[in-house]
Amino acid sequence: RSGKLTPSQVAKNIIAVLEDCNKSTPPLRAIVQWDQEQIMLMAEASTARYRNKCTLSYLDGIPVCLKEEFKVVPYHHRVGTVYLGTEPEREDATVAKKLREAGAIIIGVSNMHELGMGTTGCNPNRYHKIPRNPYKPNHFTGGSSSGSAAAVAAGLCPVAIGTDGGGSVRIPASWCGVVGLKGTFGRISSHGSLPLSYSTVSVGPICTSVADAAIVYSVLAGPDLLYPYGLKQPKATLSDMCAPDLKGLKLGVDWTFFKACDAEVLSICEKAVEHLQSLGASVVEVSLPEMEEVQVAHVICILSEMRDFLQPDFNKHFHEMNLDTRANLALASQFTALDYITANRQRTRSMRFLREIFTTVNCILTPAVPSTAPRIYESDLLTGSSDLSFTVRSMRFMQLGNFTGIPGLVVPIGCSTDGVPISFQVMAKWWDEAVLLRIGLKLEQFRSQTKKPSIYYDILA
């Protein structure tokens, strides 16, 4: 607004950075498709709006990227594969359309784990390669919204959009030390993303700060006639988000569940709980029943739905898929209709338990991921990586939110001794994202210093 900088200048900086970061050793591989002309067109239109004092929203002129799972004109809708999206896209997903209408500058589409089927972000195929963690380039970013988290952490853009069916926004945000919000199921339209799993996937922003996540959430949330699951939602608000303290809030913790993580993660997460208490919130011990069943049932639901949707691909493009994708889809084919029905009965039970729990507490607190970002090995670059027990463990604190549809927010709260980020998660009842953002702002105060990643670009310089 002051005129010291224009969206066009920022866009030129970003284009220079995009050229640079993919030539670096190793390449960052956060943004996998971008178009200089498209970026400059949007930036110049925004610059004119600022000049004429008629900006469209808080996001006008702000650089954003979207996960390749979304349709974004004129890019290829590859969804992390080599065989999808053979032609450039002609239609925007709803979130891309909303971002354009808000004046945001879409700088490209970001890397992802092939078909969203993994939590590391390891995707060795020729179009994607393995995105690097800006904190430790020899470590994974997390997945499946891998490039989105890496782009935000490395400073390429302050906002990225991801999808989350088993932690796919929150795991990479956690491992890359940025903020990730998974909205309530149906809160943000997923029309125009590949419908891999229709009952577990939510859309949400990955941002540099909680305030930024709140702004993006307020722009994207709301019903979409093209997306039936979110039609009957209550109005999205940010009520009490900026309250000076947390007085009157009851925060639920199941300590047995909470403590199932690495010692270093646990130590800092316990201190974060104390910090929230010091601001006037009360911590209430709760019991999250049947969590083992929830974890198994979530895997059955998400994999069965993916297998159902990808059946033609599995038959026709089997040899073009990464090895871990083939293994996961082969495993999914072993589930029966009975397994799927039983899993959905468990969902009904778990939602009922949560409804009761949320009559006594406003939120449920957990660490974000039980361990920090794992190392990348030479073999991962060639053949990919598959470690099912690690995948399941990395989703431990994520699955409840995907299985029952409640929203979750992850906020970085510190770093491990080897310099990779550690994050904390807050979950709330359906449609109550406002309370997550309120607590998230206070968690940011707990993190006394923010360590800069080793790969970082200042696009305002």
Side-chain angles (χ1 to χ4, degrees):
R1 283 180 183 161
S2 69
K4 282 180 194 159
L5 196 63
T6 67
S8 298
Q9 284 167 284
V10 175
K12 283 179 184 140
N13 292 350
I14 290 170
I15 289 162
V17 164
L18 287 170
E19 285 170 345
D20 178 70
C21 69
N22 281 335
K23 286 183 194 140
S24 61
T25 317
L28 180 63
R29 298 303 296 161
I31 307 288
V32 286
Q33 299 181 59
W34 57 280
D35 181 308
Q36 182 170 340
E37 196 182 330
Q38 289 287 325
I39 297 170
M40 286 314 299
L41 275 173
M42 286 180 267
E44 279 155 13
S46 177
T47 299
R49 289 192 293 272
Y50 274 98
R51 197 169 47 237
N52 301 324
K53 299 197 169 30
C54 61
T55 49
L56 298 171
S57 78
Y58 284 126
L59 290 183
D60 206 329
I62 303 295
V64 303
C65 69
L66 291 96
K67 184 179 186 177
E68 202 182 55
E69 198 169 317
F70 293 101
K71 295 180 176 182
V72 183
V73 179
Y75 303 108
H76 295 267
H77 188 215
R78 291 191 179 118
V79 200
T81 70
V82 294
Y83 66 85
L84 286 172
T86 50
E87 295 295 317
E89 202 42 58
R90 291 210 185 108
E91 178 193 10
D92 274 331
T94 297
V95 281
K97 196 160 148 275
K98 281 190 170 186
L99 289 166
R100 280 193 215 275
E101 285 165 0
I105 299 168
I106 297 172
I107 66 167
V109 291
S110 47
N111 206 342
M112 63 178 286
H113 204 109
E114 186 177 64
L115 296 167
M117 288 203 125
T119 61
T120 56
C122 181
N123 187 352
N125 74 40
R126 66 180 183 272
Y127 286 140
H128 298 88
K129 301 290 178 232
I130 295 175
R132 302 297 177 140
N133 191 317
Y135 276 88
K136 276 261 168 126
N138 60 342
H139 286 241
F140 284 117
T141 53
S144 64
S145 310
S146 50
S148 297
V152 172
L156 302 182
C157 51
V159 176
I161 309 301
T163 57
D164 190 314
S168 285
V169 158
R170 293 163 294 157
I171 293 170
S174 302
W175 282 349
C176 290
V178 288
V179 172
L181 172 66
K182 177 195 97 69
T184 303
F185 178 75
R187 174 63 103 178
I188 298 173
S189 170
S190 69
H191 172 77
S193 71
L194 201 69
L196 293 163
S197 165
Y198 43 82
S199 78
T200 65
V201 174
S202 295
V203 178
I206 293 174
C207 298
T208 31
S209 70
V210 173
D212 288 356
I215 291 168
V216 180
Y217 164 72
S218 63
V219 169
L220 296 181
D224 170 15
L225 291 173
L226 299 169
Y227 181 66
Y229 298 126
L231 286 178
K232 288 217 164 35
Q233 58 178 282
K235 196 167 166 37
T237 70
L238 300 176
S239 59
D240 292 335
M241 180 180 149
C242 298
D245 55 37
L246 297 177
K247 285 191 180 122
L249 286 185
K250 292 182 176 154
L251 313 178
V253 179
D254 178 332
W255 285 110
T256 312
F257 185 57
F258 190 102
K259 288 177 175 172
C261 60
D262 293 356
E264 214 174 1
V265 173
L266 178 60
S267 157
I268 191 163
C269 286
E270 285 178 329
K271 291 191 183 90
V273 175
E274 287 165 20
H275 167 73
L276 297 176
Q277 262 179 304
S278 75
L279 292 165
S282 53
V283 172
V284 179
E285 282 203 41
V286 294
S287 163
L288 294 172
E290 302 178 4
M291 285 311 293
E292 291 287 321
E293 289 83 346
V294 164
Q295 285 166 334
V296 173
H298 166 264
V299 168
I300 290 169
C301 282
I302 190 169
L303 280 181
S304 299
E305 289 168 8
M306 283 179 150
R307 173 70 202 217
D308 166 55
F309 180 74
L310 294 168
Q311 184 69 31
D313 299 39
F314 190 69
N315 294 338
K316 197 172 164 196
H317 298 286
F318 180 83
H319 293 291
E320 294 165 273
M321 290 175 169
N322 290 338
L323 296 174
D324 69 315
T325 308
R326 295 183 210 176
N328 286 329
L329 287 170
L331 167 69
S333 69
Q334 300 306 302
F335 298 134
T336 63
L338 185 61
D339 293 329
Y340 185 71
I341 290 164
T342 309
N344 275 292
R345 286 187 179 141
Q346 178 64 44
R347 192 191 314 246
T348 307
R349 280 176 71 85
S350 296
M351 288 172 80
R352 197 163 63 233
F353 292 141
L354 281 179
R355 207 164 276 131
E356 282 168 30
I357 289 168
F358 285 125
T359 60
T360 56
V361 297
N362 301 90
C363 291
I364 294 166
L365 308 180
T366 69
V369 191
S371 51
T372 54
R375 280 205 50 171
I376 297 171
Y377 292 97
E378 281 301 304
S379 61
D380 300 336
L381 303 173
L382 301 169
T383 53
S385 138
S386 180
D387 180 342
L388 280 179
S389 64
F390 179 79
T391 303
V392 171
R393 185 166 189 259
S394 64
M395 297 194 297
R396 170 184 289 279
F397 300 118
M398 302 285 147
Q399 292 171 285
L400 182 64
N402 293 113
F403 189 51
T404 62
I406 59 172
L409 176 76
V410 296
V411 179
I413 53 169
C415 276
S416 67
T417 44
D418 62 352
V420 280
I422 292 172
S423 296
F424 190 84
Q425 177 173 242
V426 193
M427 293 180 282
K429 68 177 183 291
W430 300 271
W431 317 114
D432 199 5
E433 287 87 350
V435 77
L436 298 182
L437 296 161
R438 177 181 171 185
I439 294 167
L441 284 175
K442 298 297 182 262
L443 280 168
E444 283 181 325
Q445 296 168 3
F446 167 71
R447 181 185 41 160
S448 52
Q449 83 229 42
T450 307
K451 187 173 163 285
K452 263 225 165 95
S454 54
I455 302 174
Y456 186 78
Y457 295 95
D458 184 353
I459 56 165
L460 301 182

